[in-house]
Amino acid sequence: MELKTKRVKVPIKKGDLVEVIHGKDKGKRGKVLSVFPREGKVIVEGVNMVKKHTRPTQDNPQGGIIERENPIRISNVRLVCSRCGQKTRIKRVKLPDSRFRVRVCKKCGEIIDKV
């Protein structure tokens, strides 16, 4: 049986600056390290930190406890506009000279994607 893949449109991309709007890390800002569109989650630098117990390996012969970021729901983060510096929603607009849609800040109208 073949799995059907569902294409999900995600307003946030890797490398974007986002702010957490809900949860224990509310108000924190960080860069998006990776995006998981199927799960609807992102990993943000310095947000939702958890302690992971690791056993000794060749790379880490000591083992021990490491801190790393856990994924957070996309609905709990908002994109931060580079021009106005506020957390904002985005809209997708097709430019007249381009065949692609670009992301635009709803508050100031700045184009977020540099084409």
Side-chain angles (χ1 to χ4, degrees), residues 49-115:
M49 300 297 285
V50 294
K51 292 184 181 197
K52 181 171 170 63
H53 296 259
T54 59
R55 64 184 340 157
T57 61
Q58 285 186 337
D59 296 335
N60 187 8
Q62 186 67 28
I65 303 169
I66 59 168
E67 265 196 273
R68 66 182 187 97
E69 294 93 356
N70 241 16
I72 187 170
R73 296 270 316 257
I74 289 177
S75 61
N76 293 337
V77 296
R78 274 282 159 81
L79 189 70
V80 176
C81 178
S82 58
R83 184 170 131 197
C84 60
Q86 297 178 340
K87 56 186 184 222
T88 180
R89 293 177 296 151
I90 62 166
K91 61 182 175 180
R92 295 180 188 272
V93 177
K94 190 169 183 179
L95 295 177
D97 59 336
S98 174
R99 61 188 197 114
F100 299 107
R101 288 183 168 195
V102 293
R103 298 180 301 164
V104 175
C105 173
K106 277 203 169 185
K107 293 194 177 186
C108 67
E110 175 74 11
I111 296 174
I112 295 167
D113 294 325
K114 304 299 178 201
V115 181

Side-chain angles (χ1 to χ4, degrees), residues 8-22 25 28 30-49 68-79 103:
V8 182
K9 288 194 177 182
V10 180
I12 295 170
K13 294 181 181 179
K14 182 178 175 179
D16 285 343
L17 181 66
V18 294
E19 183 173 331
V20 179
I21 59 170
H22 190 68
D25 293 320
K28 285 188 181 178
K31 194 172 85 170
V32 175
L33 300 176
S34 58
V35 180
F36 306 106
R38 290 237 183 111
E39 291 93 36
K41 296 188 177 193
V42 292
I43 293 180
V44 182
E45 187 176 33
V47 173
N48 201 17
M49 300 297 285
R68 66 182 187 97
E69 294 93 356
N70 241 16
I72 187 170
R73 296 270 316 257
I74 289 177
S75 61
N76 293 337
V77 296
R78 274 282 159 81
L79 189 70
R103 298 180 301 164

